[in-house]
Amino acid sequence: MRRIMPGLMTLFLGTAVALAAPADRWLHVQVDETGKNGERVRVNLPLELAEKVLPAIHTGKLRDGKVKVSEAKIDEVDLRALLDAVRTTKDNEFVTVESNHENVRVAKAGGHLLIKVREGKDKANTVDVSIPFPVIEALLSGGKDELDILAAVRALSAVGDTVLVTVKDESSNVRIWVDSKNTME
Amino acid sequence: MSIKLGILGGGLGVIVLGGAVVYNAGAVRVSVQEKTPDGEHFRLVLPAAVVPVALRFIPEEKLRDASVKLRPWLPAIKIASEELARCPDGPLVLVDGPDEKVSIAKLGGSLVIDVDSSAESVHVSFPLKTLASAAEELAAKAPPQ
């Protein structure tokens, strides 16, 4: 029994570690164009691939996983202070715009920043964006004039399965989501 | 007699080992099928181990030009191919349009690209390790910045 116990413990711990290891996370993009000649596009990207590749890209405004953005666009509003204020408040609706042409709603719910747009005839064209706050924080964690894409990808890897963007209009349906499956649907 | 047998055995061993290396390195496969009544079917199967050697037959100037143009992307290409090799097999990209269907997938250590149109069907597959080593070769050819 004494000889068997260390072997059993090793097997048990090894199994526990293997089960606890996070599964690969995948970013999926699905675009379906409507109409007779519509095109169908599917993209599956392992997030770890993006994490490893982004720091190796140094071209244009993208360097070391960060994108330079116009200082003027970010300096007009203190995005970090605004984000912190939104993050610490209770779930709430912050902006609502209703007009003949479109309805826009910006809200916080369940740890996500939600943006919903309804426009067009019968408000049939829809845009739904749901970004987990850790991802937004990571995106803004770089310098004042840059977006840290790499940090945002890492944060995205850590959140659960989530649908990030859904767009439906007369010509196409678009869906972007994250999960642990390497399939296209 | 024993010396001759030893030399023969050694020679066979090198051939077998070399064959194992070539086999394990996989193959670059290209197939183009024209969709006309007299359409041609072009096929190429090249052991991937030969690719780095084949690069050396390309004129130095052309190789240098290519490496200069690709220089910003070579580290990313190398890392991407290494990381893709680690990922499970599965589809990566699919574009299905009225005129053409393109699919890119990872299968058994290789990247597989299929393009199907009304004019022709093209199939290309190559071991991801080949891409990484080709990127290294090109990076080595690039003149210092």
PDB file of all heavy atoms in Angstrom, chain A residues 24 26 37-44 46 48-49 52-53 56-59 182 184, chain B residues 72-73 75-76 79-80 83 86-98:
ATOM      1  N   ASP A  24      -8.242  26.151 -24.713  1.00  0.00           N
ATOM      2  CA  ASP A  24      -7.945  27.206 -25.663  1.00  0.00           C
ATOM      3  C   ASP A  24      -9.185  28.055 -25.853  1.00  0.00           C
ATOM      4  O   ASP A  24     -10.304  27.551 -25.952  1.00  0.00           O
ATOM      5  CB  ASP A  24      -7.527  26.580 -27.009  1.00  0.00           C
ATOM      6  CG  ASP A  24      -6.108  26.046 -26.944  1.00  0.00           C
ATOM      7  OD1 ASP A  24      -5.333  26.524 -26.098  1.00  0.00           O
ATOM      8  OD2 ASP A  24      -5.772  25.160 -27.747  1.00  0.00           O
ATOM      9  N   TRP A  26     -11.228  30.803 -28.265  1.00  0.00           N
ATOM     10  CA  TRP A  26     -11.300  31.115 -29.683  1.00  0.00           C
ATOM     11  C   TRP A  26     -12.167  32.342 -29.914  1.00  0.00           C
ATOM     12  O   TRP A  26     -13.236  32.494 -29.300  1.00  0.00           O
ATOM     13  CB  TRP A  26     -11.880  29.926 -30.458  1.00  0.00           C
ATOM     14  CG  TRP A  26     -10.978  28.739 -30.454  1.00  0.00           C
ATOM     15  CD1 TRP A  26     -10.776  27.865 -29.432  1.00  0.00           C
ATOM     16  CD2 TRP A  26     -10.140  28.298 -31.515  1.00  0.00           C
ATOM     17  NE1 TRP A  26      -9.868  26.903 -29.784  1.00  0.00           N
ATOM     18  CE2 TRP A  26      -9.459  27.144 -31.066  1.00  0.00           C
ATOM     19  CE3 TRP A  26      -9.896  28.761 -32.813  1.00  0.00           C
ATOM     20  CZ2 TRP A  26      -8.552  26.451 -31.867  1.00  0.00           C
ATOM     21  CZ3 TRP A  26      -8.995  28.066 -33.602  1.00  0.00           C
ATOM     22  CH2 TRP A  26      -8.326  26.921 -33.135  1.00  0.00           C
ATOM     23  N   ASN A  37     -26.512  36.735 -54.177  1.00  0.00           N
ATOM     24  CA  ASN A  37     -25.063  36.590 -54.315  1.00  0.00           C
ATOM     25  C   ASN A  37     -24.328  36.854 -53.005  1.00  0.00           C
ATOM     26  O   ASN A  37     -23.160  37.226 -53.006  1.00  0.00           O
ATOM     27  CB  ASN A  37     -24.534  37.544 -55.402  1.00  0.00           C
ATOM     28  CG  ASN A  37     -25.068  37.183 -56.771  1.00  0.00           C
ATOM     29  OD1 ASN A  37     -25.191  36.003 -57.096  1.00  0.00           O
ATOM     30  ND2 ASN A  37     -25.429  38.191 -57.551  1.00  0.00           N
ATOM     31  N   GLY A  38     -25.039  36.655 -51.940  1.00  0.00           N
ATOM     32  CA  GLY A  38     -24.428  36.935 -50.649  1.00  0.00           C
ATOM     33  C   GLY A  38     -23.266  36.003 -50.353  1.00  0.00           C
ATOM     34  O   GLY A  38     -23.242  34.846 -50.756  1.00  0.00           O
ATOM     35  N   GLU A  39     -22.328  36.545 -49.615  1.00  0.00           N
ATOM     36  CA  GLU A  39     -21.132  35.788 -49.265  1.00  0.00           C
ATOM     37  C   GLU A  39     -21.228  35.371 -47.805  1.00  0.00           C
ATOM     38  O   GLU A  39     -21.807  36.047 -46.970  1.00  0.00           O
ATOM     39  CB  GLU A  39     -19.921  36.714 -49.459  1.00  0.00           C
ATOM     40  CG  GLU A  39     -18.622  36.002 -49.683  1.00  0.00           C
ATOM     41  CD  GLU A  39     -17.537  36.957 -50.150  1.00  0.00           C
ATOM     42  OE1 GLU A  39     -17.128  37.806 -49.340  1.00  0.00           O
ATOM     43  OE2 GLU A  39     -17.113  36.844 -51.298  1.00  0.00           O
ATOM     44  N   ARG A  40     -20.620  34.230 -47.521  1.00  0.00           N
ATOM     45  CA  ARG A  40     -20.609  33.744 -46.135  1.00  0.00           C
ATOM     46  C   ARG A  40     -19.152  33.709 -45.681  1.00  0.00           C
ATOM     47  O   ARG A  40     -18.300  33.163 -46.369  1.00  0.00           O
ATOM     48  CB  ARG A  40     -21.208  32.338 -46.137  1.00  0.00           C
ATOM     49  CG  ARG A  40     -21.569  31.758 -44.807  1.00  0.00           C
ATOM     50  CD  ARG A  40     -22.438  30.521 -45.013  1.00  0.00           C
ATOM     51  NE  ARG A  40     -21.714  29.461 -45.652  1.00  0.00           N
ATOM     52  CZ  ARG A  40     -21.284  28.335 -45.051  1.00  0.00           C
ATOM     53  NH1 ARG A  40     -21.514  28.155 -43.782  1.00  0.00           N
ATOM     54  NH2 ARG A  40     -20.636  27.408 -45.726  1.00  0.00           N
ATOM     55  N   VAL A  41     -18.873  34.311 -44.555  1.00  0.00           N
ATOM     56  CA  VAL A  41     -17.492  34.351 -44.058  1.00  0.00           C
ATOM     57  C   VAL A  41     -17.468  33.806 -42.637  1.00  0.00           C
ATOM     58  O   VAL A  41     -18.303  34.152 -41.815  1.00  0.00           O
ATOM     59  CB  VAL A  41     -16.941  35.797 -44.039  1.00  0.00           C
ATOM     60  CG1 VAL A  41     -15.524  35.825 -43.457  1.00  0.00           C
ATOM     61  CG2 VAL A  41     -16.952  36.399 -45.441  1.00  0.00           C
ATOM     62  N   ARG A  42     -16.493  32.955 -42.381  1.00  0.00           N
ATOM     63  CA  ARG A  42     -16.294  32.436 -41.030  1.00  0.00           C
ATOM     64  C   ARG A  42     -14.804  32.536 -40.698  1.00  0.00           C
ATOM     65  O   ARG A  42     -13.965  32.165 -41.498  1.00  0.00           O
ATOM     66  CB  ARG A  42     -16.695  30.952 -40.935  1.00  0.00           C
ATOM     67  CG  ARG A  42     -18.140  30.658 -41.313  1.00  0.00           C
ATOM     68  CD  ARG A  42     -19.087  31.072 -40.226  1.00  0.00           C
ATOM     69  NE  ARG A  42     -20.450  30.692 -40.535  1.00  0.00           N
ATOM     70  CZ  ARG A  42     -21.305  31.451 -41.221  1.00  0.00           C
ATOM     71  NH1 ARG A  42     -20.913  32.632 -41.687  1.00  0.00           N
ATOM     72  NH2 ARG A  42     -22.538  31.040 -41.431  1.00  0.00           N
ATOM     73  N   VAL A  43     -14.514  33.030 -39.517  1.00  0.00           N
ATOM     74  CA  VAL A  43     -13.126  33.102 -39.060  1.00  0.00           C
ATOM     75  C   VAL A  43     -13.063  32.547 -37.647  1.00  0.00           C
ATOM     76  O   VAL A  43     -13.862  32.913 -36.791  1.00  0.00           O
ATOM     77  CB  VAL A  43     -12.594  34.551 -39.059  1.00  0.00           C
ATOM     78  CG1 VAL A  43     -11.172  34.595 -38.496  1.00  0.00           C
ATOM     79  CG2 VAL A  43     -12.628  35.144 -40.454  1.00  0.00           C
ATOM     80  N   ASN A  44     -12.099  31.652 -37.430  1.00  0.00           N
ATOM     81  CA  ASN A  44     -11.835  31.137 -36.079  1.00  0.00           C
ATOM     82  C   ASN A  44     -10.401  31.472 -35.746  1.00  0.00           C
ATOM     83  O   ASN A  44      -9.495  31.065 -36.463  1.00  0.00           O
ATOM     84  CB  ASN A  44     -11.940  29.599 -36.047  1.00  0.00           C
ATOM     85  CG  ASN A  44     -13.332  29.101 -36.118  1.00  0.00           C
ATOM     86  OD1 ASN A  44     -14.270  29.852 -35.925  1.00  0.00           O
ATOM     87  ND2 ASN A  44     -13.485  27.833 -36.400  1.00  0.00           N
ATOM     88  N   PRO A  46      -7.552  31.362 -32.659  1.00  0.00           N
ATOM     89  CA  PRO A  46      -7.225  31.091 -31.252  1.00  0.00           C
ATOM     90  C   PRO A  46      -6.657  32.348 -30.615  1.00  0.00           C
ATOM     91  O   PRO A  46      -5.748  32.969 -31.179  1.00  0.00           O
ATOM     92  CB  PRO A  46      -6.165  29.981 -31.333  1.00  0.00           C
ATOM     93  CG  PRO A  46      -5.681  29.956 -32.728  1.00  0.00           C
ATOM     94  CD  PRO A  46      -6.682  30.646 -33.588  1.00  0.00           C
ATOM     95  N   GLU A  48      -4.814  32.708 -28.154  1.00  0.00           N
ATOM     96  CA  GLU A  48      -3.406  32.597 -27.784  1.00  0.00           C
ATOM     97  C   GLU A  48      -2.501  32.933 -28.975  1.00  0.00           C
ATOM     98  O   GLU A  48      -1.401  33.445 -28.803  1.00  0.00           O
ATOM     99  CB  GLU A  48      -3.099  31.199 -27.262  1.00  0.00           C
ATOM    100  CG  GLU A  48      -1.849  31.173 -26.425  1.00  0.00           C
ATOM    101  CD  GLU A  48      -1.720  29.920 -25.578  1.00  0.00           C
ATOM    102  OE1 GLU A  48      -2.737  29.256 -25.332  1.00  0.00           O
ATOM    103  OE2 GLU A  48      -0.587  29.619 -25.195  1.00  0.00           O
ATOM    104  N   LEU A  49      -2.980  32.633 -30.172  1.00  0.00           N
ATOM    105  CA  LEU A  49      -2.221  32.993 -31.377  1.00  0.00           C
ATOM    106  C   LEU A  49      -2.082  34.505 -31.453  1.00  0.00           C
ATOM    107  O   LEU A  49      -0.991  35.036 -31.697  1.00  0.00           O
ATOM    108  CB  LEU A  49      -2.946  32.455 -32.626  1.00  0.00           C
ATOM    109  CG  LEU A  49      -2.382  32.886 -33.967  1.00  0.00           C
ATOM    110  CD1 LEU A  49      -1.044  32.227 -34.207  1.00  0.00           C
ATOM    111  CD2 LEU A  49      -3.330  32.525 -35.095  1.00  0.00           C
ATOM    112  N   LYS A  52       0.409  35.815 -28.933  1.00  0.00           N
ATOM    113  CA  LYS A  52       1.815  35.566 -29.257  1.00  0.00           C
ATOM    114  C   LYS A  52       2.255  36.413 -30.451  1.00  0.00           C
ATOM    115  O   LYS A  52       3.401  36.852 -30.519  1.00  0.00           O
ATOM    116  CB  LYS A  52       2.032  34.082 -29.580  1.00  0.00           C
ATOM    117  CG  LYS A  52       1.697  33.136 -28.428  1.00  0.00           C
ATOM    118  CD  LYS A  52       2.912  32.823 -27.605  1.00  0.00           C
ATOM    119  CE  LYS A  52       2.566  32.064 -26.343  1.00  0.00           C
ATOM    120  NZ  LYS A  52       2.142  30.680 -26.565  1.00  0.00           N
ATOM    121  N   VAL A  53       1.344  36.613 -31.410  1.00  0.00           N
ATOM    122  CA  VAL A  53       1.732  37.293 -32.650  1.00  0.00           C
ATOM    123  C   VAL A  53       1.773  38.816 -32.496  1.00  0.00           C
ATOM    124  O   VAL A  53       2.649  39.482 -33.053  1.00  0.00           O
ATOM    125  CB  VAL A  53       0.773  36.888 -33.797  1.00  0.00           C
ATOM    126  CG1 VAL A  53       0.973  37.775 -35.012  1.00  0.00           C
ATOM    127  CG2 VAL A  53       1.004  35.436 -34.179  1.00  0.00           C
ATOM    128  N   ALA A  56       4.869  40.720 -31.901  1.00  0.00           N
ATOM    129  CA  ALA A  56       5.886  40.583 -32.956  1.00  0.00           C
ATOM    130  C   ALA A  56       5.594  41.478 -34.153  1.00  0.00           C
ATOM    131  O   ALA A  56       6.387  41.526 -35.087  1.00  0.00           O
ATOM    132  CB  ALA A  56       5.953  39.121 -33.420  1.00  0.00           C
ATOM    133  N   ILE A  57       4.458  42.160 -34.132  1.00  0.00           N
ATOM    134  CA  ILE A  57       4.104  43.024 -35.259  1.00  0.00           C
ATOM    135  C   ILE A  57       4.529  44.452 -34.936  1.00  0.00           C
ATOM    136  O   ILE A  57       4.134  45.013 -33.923  1.00  0.00           O
ATOM    137  CB  ILE A  57       2.585  42.971 -35.548  1.00  0.00           C
ATOM    138  CG1 ILE A  57       2.180  41.548 -35.945  1.00  0.00           C
ATOM    139  CG2 ILE A  57       2.235  43.943 -36.672  1.00  0.00           C
ATOM    140  CD1 ILE A  57       0.692  41.373 -36.131  1.00  0.00           C
ATOM    141  N   HIS A  58       5.374  44.997 -35.825  1.00  0.00           N
ATOM    142  CA  HIS A  58       5.809  46.391 -35.648  1.00  0.00           C
ATOM    143  C   HIS A  58       5.652  47.081 -36.983  1.00  0.00           C
ATOM    144  O   HIS A  58       6.562  47.091 -37.810  1.00  0.00           O
ATOM    145  CB  HIS A  58       7.271  46.444 -35.202  1.00  0.00           C
ATOM    146  CG  HIS A  58       7.519  45.690 -33.937  1.00  0.00           C
ATOM    147  ND1 HIS A  58       7.098  46.136 -32.704  1.00  0.00           N
ATOM    148  CD2 HIS A  58       8.102  44.490 -33.714  1.00  0.00           C
ATOM    149  CE1 HIS A  58       7.431  45.254 -31.795  1.00  0.00           C
ATOM    150  NE2 HIS A  58       8.037  44.238 -32.361  1.00  0.00           N
ATOM    151  N   THR A  59       4.490  47.613 -37.218  1.00  0.00           N
ATOM    152  CA  THR A  59       4.253  48.267 -38.496  1.00  0.00           C
ATOM    153  C   THR A  59       3.185  49.323 -38.324  1.00  0.00           C
ATOM    154  O   THR A  59       2.210  49.117 -37.620  1.00  0.00           O
ATOM    155  CB  THR A  59       3.835  47.212 -39.552  1.00  0.00           C
ATOM    156  OG1 THR A  59       3.591  47.866 -40.789  1.00  0.00           O
ATOM    157  CG2 THR A  59       2.587  46.454 -39.151  1.00  0.00           C
ATOM    158  N   ASN A 182     -13.350  25.167 -31.277  1.00  0.00           N
ATOM    159  CA  ASN A 182     -12.683  25.553 -32.523  1.00  0.00           C
ATOM    160  C   ASN A 182     -13.532  25.166 -33.738  1.00  0.00           C
ATOM    161  O   ASN A 182     -13.018  24.740 -34.763  1.00  0.00           O
ATOM    162  CB  ASN A 182     -11.285  24.932 -32.613  1.00  0.00           C
ATOM    163  CG  ASN A 182     -11.311  23.431 -32.811  1.00  0.00           C
ATOM    164  OD1 ASN A 182     -12.265  22.769 -32.405  1.00  0.00           O
ATOM    165  ND2 ASN A 182     -10.295  22.888 -33.457  1.00  0.00           N
ATOM    166  N   MET A 184     -16.881  26.386 -36.399  1.00  0.00           N
ATOM    167  CA  MET A 184     -17.255  27.648 -37.024  1.00  0.00           C
ATOM    168  C   MET A 184     -18.672  28.116 -36.721  1.00  0.00           C
ATOM    169  O   MET A 184     -19.049  29.196 -37.106  1.00  0.00           O
ATOM    170  CB  MET A 184     -17.067  27.553 -38.536  1.00  0.00           C
ATOM    171  CG  MET A 184     -15.614  27.652 -38.901  1.00  0.00           C
ATOM    172  SD  MET A 184     -15.368  27.857 -40.653  1.00  0.00           S
ATOM    173  CE  MET A 184     -13.751  28.602 -40.654  1.00  0.00           C
TER     174      MET A 184
ATOM    175  N   PRO B  72       9.188  43.130 -41.947  1.00  0.00           N
ATOM    176  CA  PRO B  72       8.378  43.495 -40.768  1.00  0.00           C
ATOM    177  C   PRO B  72       7.480  42.357 -40.293  1.00  0.00           C
ATOM    178  O   PRO B  72       7.077  42.326 -39.135  1.00  0.00           O
ATOM    179  CB  PRO B  72       7.528  44.665 -41.264  1.00  0.00           C
ATOM    180  CG  PRO B  72       8.196  45.165 -42.487  1.00  0.00           C
ATOM    181  CD  PRO B  72       8.877  43.992 -43.096  1.00  0.00           C
ATOM    182  N   TRP B  73       7.175  41.443 -41.212  1.00  0.00           N
ATOM    183  CA  TRP B  73       6.201  40.400 -40.871  1.00  0.00           C
ATOM    184  C   TRP B  73       6.845  39.060 -40.533  1.00  0.00           C
ATOM    185  O   TRP B  73       6.151  38.150 -40.064  1.00  0.00           O
ATOM    186  CB  TRP B  73       5.241  40.191 -42.060  1.00  0.00           C
ATOM    187  CG  TRP B  73       4.517  41.453 -42.394  1.00  0.00           C
ATOM    188  CD1 TRP B  73       4.796  42.316 -43.400  1.00  0.00           C
ATOM    189  CD2 TRP B  73       3.415  42.014 -41.682  1.00  0.00           C
ATOM    190  NE1 TRP B  73       3.923  43.383 -43.363  1.00  0.00           N
ATOM    191  CE2 TRP B  73       3.071  43.222 -42.327  1.00  0.00           C
ATOM    192  CE3 TRP B  73       2.689  41.608 -40.570  1.00  0.00           C
ATOM    193  CZ2 TRP B  73       2.034  44.023 -41.892  1.00  0.00           C
ATOM    194  CZ3 TRP B  73       1.640  42.406 -40.143  1.00  0.00           C
ATOM    195  CH2 TRP B  73       1.326  43.606 -40.797  1.00  0.00           C
ATOM    196  N   PRO B  75       8.948  37.895 -38.155  1.00  0.00           N
ATOM    197  CA  PRO B  75       8.810  37.362 -36.783  1.00  0.00           C
ATOM    198  C   PRO B  75       7.384  36.906 -36.500  1.00  0.00           C
ATOM    199  O   PRO B  75       7.168  35.867 -35.874  1.00  0.00           O
ATOM    200  CB  PRO B  75       9.191  38.545 -35.889  1.00  0.00           C
ATOM    201  CG  PRO B  75       9.994  39.451 -36.751  1.00  0.00           C
ATOM    202  CD  PRO B  75       9.444  39.293 -38.130  1.00  0.00           C
ATOM    203  N   ALA B  76       6.410  37.687 -36.985  1.00  0.00           N
ATOM    204  CA  ALA B  76       5.004  37.336 -36.753  1.00  0.00           C
ATOM    205  C   ALA B  76       4.649  36.047 -37.488  1.00  0.00           C
ATOM    206  O   ALA B  76       3.919  35.196 -36.951  1.00  0.00           O
ATOM    207  CB  ALA B  76       4.085  38.469 -37.207  1.00  0.00           C
ATOM    208  N   ILE B  79       6.174  33.106 -35.538  1.00  0.00           N
ATOM    209  CA  ILE B  79       5.440  32.831 -34.292  1.00  0.00           C
ATOM    210  C   ILE B  79       4.064  32.263 -34.611  1.00  0.00           C
ATOM    211  O   ILE B  79       3.588  31.332 -33.960  1.00  0.00           O
ATOM    212  CB  ILE B  79       5.307  34.114 -33.443  1.00  0.00           C
ATOM    213  CG1 ILE B  79       6.695  34.526 -32.924  1.00  0.00           C
ATOM    214  CG2 ILE B  79       4.351  33.912 -32.285  1.00  0.00           C
ATOM    215  CD1 ILE B  79       6.724  35.889 -32.287  1.00  0.00           C
ATOM    216  N   ALA B  80       3.406  32.826 -35.631  1.00  0.00           N
ATOM    217  CA  ALA B  80       2.066  32.359 -35.991  1.00  0.00           C
ATOM    218  C   ALA B  80       2.110  30.895 -36.423  1.00  0.00           C
ATOM    219  O   ALA B  80       1.255  30.096 -36.026  1.00  0.00           O
ATOM    220  CB  ALA B  80       1.485  33.217 -37.115  1.00  0.00           C
ATOM    221  N   GLU B  83       2.695  28.695 -33.356  1.00  0.00           N
ATOM    222  CA  GLU B  83       1.518  28.653 -32.495  1.00  0.00           C
ATOM    223  C   GLU B  83       0.386  27.851 -33.145  1.00  0.00           C
ATOM    224  O   GLU B  83      -0.317  27.096 -32.477  1.00  0.00           O
ATOM    225  CB  GLU B  83       1.053  30.086 -32.205  1.00  0.00           C
ATOM    226  CG  GLU B  83      -0.025  30.218 -31.167  1.00  0.00           C
ATOM    227  CD  GLU B  83       0.318  29.583 -29.827  1.00  0.00           C
ATOM    228  OE1 GLU B  83       1.515  29.551 -29.453  1.00  0.00           O
ATOM    229  OE2 GLU B  83      -0.620  29.092 -29.172  1.00  0.00           O
ATOM    230  N   ARG B  86       0.684  24.238 -32.740  1.00  0.00           N
ATOM    231  CA  ARG B  86       0.316  23.770 -31.406  1.00  0.00           C
ATOM    232  C   ARG B  86      -1.205  23.637 -31.247  1.00  0.00           C
ATOM    233  O   ARG B  86      -1.691  22.886 -30.412  1.00  0.00           O
ATOM    234  CB  ARG B  86       0.878  24.786 -30.389  1.00  0.00           C
ATOM    235  CG  ARG B  86       0.856  24.359 -28.946  1.00  0.00           C
ATOM    236  CD  ARG B  86       0.999  25.566 -28.037  1.00  0.00           C
ATOM    237  NE  ARG B  86      -0.148  26.466 -28.108  1.00  0.00           N
ATOM    238  CZ  ARG B  86      -1.319  26.247 -27.507  1.00  0.00           C
ATOM    239  NH1 ARG B  86      -1.513  25.150 -26.801  1.00  0.00           N
ATOM    240  NH2 ARG B  86      -2.297  27.121 -27.612  1.00  0.00           N
ATOM    241  N   CYS B  87      -1.966  24.399 -32.054  1.00  0.00           N
ATOM    242  CA  CYS B  87      -3.424  24.418 -31.906  1.00  0.00           C
ATOM    243  C   CYS B  87      -4.042  23.103 -32.379  1.00  0.00           C
ATOM    244  O   CYS B  87      -3.458  22.404 -33.201  1.00  0.00           O
ATOM    245  CB  CYS B  87      -4.034  25.531 -32.768  1.00  0.00           C
ATOM    246  SG  CYS B  87      -3.645  27.149 -32.149  1.00  0.00           S
ATOM    247  N   PRO B  88      -5.241  22.782 -31.886  1.00  0.00           N
ATOM    248  CA  PRO B  88      -5.916  21.575 -32.383  1.00  0.00           C
ATOM    249  C   PRO B  88      -6.332  21.764 -33.843  1.00  0.00           C
ATOM    250  O   PRO B  88      -6.485  22.899 -34.315  1.00  0.00           O
ATOM    251  CB  PRO B  88      -7.154  21.458 -31.477  1.00  0.00           C
ATOM    252  CG  PRO B  88      -7.363  22.802 -30.903  1.00  0.00           C
ATOM    253  CD  PRO B  88      -6.033  23.464 -30.840  1.00  0.00           C
ATOM    254  N   ASP B  89      -6.487  20.646 -34.531  1.00  0.00           N
ATOM    255  CA  ASP B  89      -6.932  20.698 -35.917  1.00  0.00           C
ATOM    256  C   ASP B  89      -8.314  21.330 -35.998  1.00  0.00           C
ATOM    257  O   ASP B  89      -9.155  21.120 -35.121  1.00  0.00           O
ATOM    258  CB  ASP B  89      -6.994  19.278 -36.508  1.00  0.00           C
ATOM    259  CG  ASP B  89      -5.609  18.713 -36.761  1.00  0.00           C
ATOM    260  OD1 ASP B  89      -4.628  19.446 -36.580  1.00  0.00           O
ATOM    261  OD2 ASP B  89      -5.528  17.532 -37.145  1.00  0.00           O
ATOM    262  N   GLY B  90      -8.540  22.069 -37.067  1.00  0.00           N
ATOM    263  CA  GLY B  90      -9.874  22.648 -37.233  1.00  0.00           C
ATOM    264  C   GLY B  90      -9.860  23.731 -38.293  1.00  0.00           C
ATOM    265  O   GLY B  90      -8.797  24.119 -38.802  1.00  0.00           O
ATOM    266  N   PRO B  91     -11.049  24.241 -38.623  1.00  0.00           N
ATOM    267  CA  PRO B  91     -11.148  25.290 -39.637  1.00  0.00           C
ATOM    268  C   PRO B  91     -10.672  26.634 -39.088  1.00  0.00           C
ATOM    269  O   PRO B  91     -10.883  26.927 -37.911  1.00  0.00           O
ATOM    270  CB  PRO B  91     -12.640  25.315 -39.970  1.00  0.00           C
ATOM    271  CG  PRO B  91     -13.314  24.826 -38.728  1.00  0.00           C
ATOM    272  CD  PRO B  91     -12.375  23.889 -38.053  1.00  0.00           C
ATOM    273  N   LEU B  92     -10.062  27.435 -39.935  1.00  0.00           N
ATOM    274  CA  LEU B  92      -9.593  28.758 -39.507  1.00  0.00           C
ATOM    275  C   LEU B  92     -10.351  29.866 -40.247  1.00  0.00           C
ATOM    276  O   LEU B  92     -10.777  30.833 -39.659  1.00  0.00           O
ATOM    277  CB  LEU B  92      -8.088  28.902 -39.756  1.00  0.00           C
ATOM    278  CG  LEU B  92      -7.198  27.950 -38.969  1.00  0.00           C
ATOM    279  CD1 LEU B  92      -5.758  28.024 -39.455  1.00  0.00           C
ATOM    280  CD2 LEU B  92      -7.247  28.262 -37.486  1.00  0.00           C
ATOM    281  N   VAL B  93     -10.446  29.721 -41.554  1.00  0.00           N
ATOM    282  CA  VAL B  93     -11.116  30.748 -42.351  1.00  0.00           C
ATOM    283  C   VAL B  93     -11.961  30.061 -43.417  1.00  0.00           C
ATOM    284  O   VAL B  93     -11.532  29.081 -44.030  1.00  0.00           O
ATOM    285  CB  VAL B  93     -10.095  31.683 -43.053  1.00  0.00           C
ATOM    286  CG1 VAL B  93     -10.812  32.683 -43.950  1.00  0.00           C
ATOM    287  CG2 VAL B  93      -9.227  32.410 -42.031  1.00  0.00           C
ATOM    288  N   LEU B  94     -13.139  30.600 -43.625  1.00  0.00           N
ATOM    289  CA  LEU B  94     -13.986  30.114 -44.716  1.00  0.00           C
ATOM    290  C   LEU B  94     -14.623  31.327 -45.371  1.00  0.00           C
ATOM    291  O   LEU B  94     -15.194  32.168 -44.686  1.00  0.00           O
ATOM    292  CB  LEU B  94     -15.070  29.171 -44.194  1.00  0.00           C
ATOM    293  CG  LEU B  94     -16.162  28.808 -45.203  1.00  0.00           C
ATOM    294  CD1 LEU B  94     -15.609  27.900 -46.281  1.00  0.00           C
ATOM    295  CD2 LEU B  94     -17.338  28.128 -44.515  1.00  0.00           C
ATOM    296  N   VAL B  95     -14.479  31.443 -46.662  1.00  0.00           N
ATOM    297  CA  VAL B  95     -15.184  32.480 -47.410  1.00  0.00           C
ATOM    298  C   VAL B  95     -15.926  31.766 -48.527  1.00  0.00           C
ATOM    299  O   VAL B  95     -15.308  31.159 -49.396  1.00  0.00           O
ATOM    300  CB  VAL B  95     -14.207  33.528 -48.005  1.00  0.00           C
ATOM    301  CG1 VAL B  95     -14.991  34.574 -48.775  1.00  0.00           C
ATOM    302  CG2 VAL B  95     -13.384  34.176 -46.907  1.00  0.00           C
ATOM    303  N   ASP B  96     -17.232  31.825 -48.482  1.00  0.00           N
ATOM    304  CA  ASP B  96     -18.054  31.090 -49.438  1.00  0.00           C
ATOM    305  C   ASP B  96     -18.896  32.102 -50.204  1.00  0.00           C
ATOM    306  O   ASP B  96     -19.876  32.638 -49.677  1.00  0.00           O
ATOM    307  CB  ASP B  96     -18.938  30.100 -48.657  1.00  0.00           C
ATOM    308  CG  ASP B  96     -19.641  29.127 -49.586  1.00  0.00           C
ATOM    309  OD1 ASP B  96     -19.480  29.242 -50.824  1.00  0.00           O
ATOM    310  OD2 ASP B  96     -20.361  28.249 -49.065  1.00  0.00           O
ATOM    311  N   GLY B  97     -18.474  32.421 -51.402  1.00  0.00           N
ATOM    312  CA  GLY B  97     -19.174  33.428 -52.175  1.00  0.00           C
ATOM    313  C   GLY B  97     -19.779  32.842 -53.421  1.00  0.00           C
ATOM    314  O   GLY B  97     -19.608  31.647 -53.706  1.00  0.00           O
ATOM    315  N   PRO B  98     -20.450  33.666 -54.212  1.00  0.00           N
ATOM    316  CA  PRO B  98     -21.121  33.156 -55.420  1.00  0.00           C
ATOM    317  C   PRO B  98     -20.120  32.672 -56.472  1.00  0.00           C
ATOM    318  O   PRO B  98     -20.432  31.771 -57.239  1.00  0.00           O
ATOM    319  CB  PRO B  98     -21.898  34.366 -55.927  1.00  0.00           C
ATOM    320  CG  PRO B  98     -21.261  35.545 -55.299  1.00  0.00           C
ATOM    321  CD  PRO B  98     -20.667  35.095 -54.010  1.00  0.00           C
TER     322      PRO B  98
END
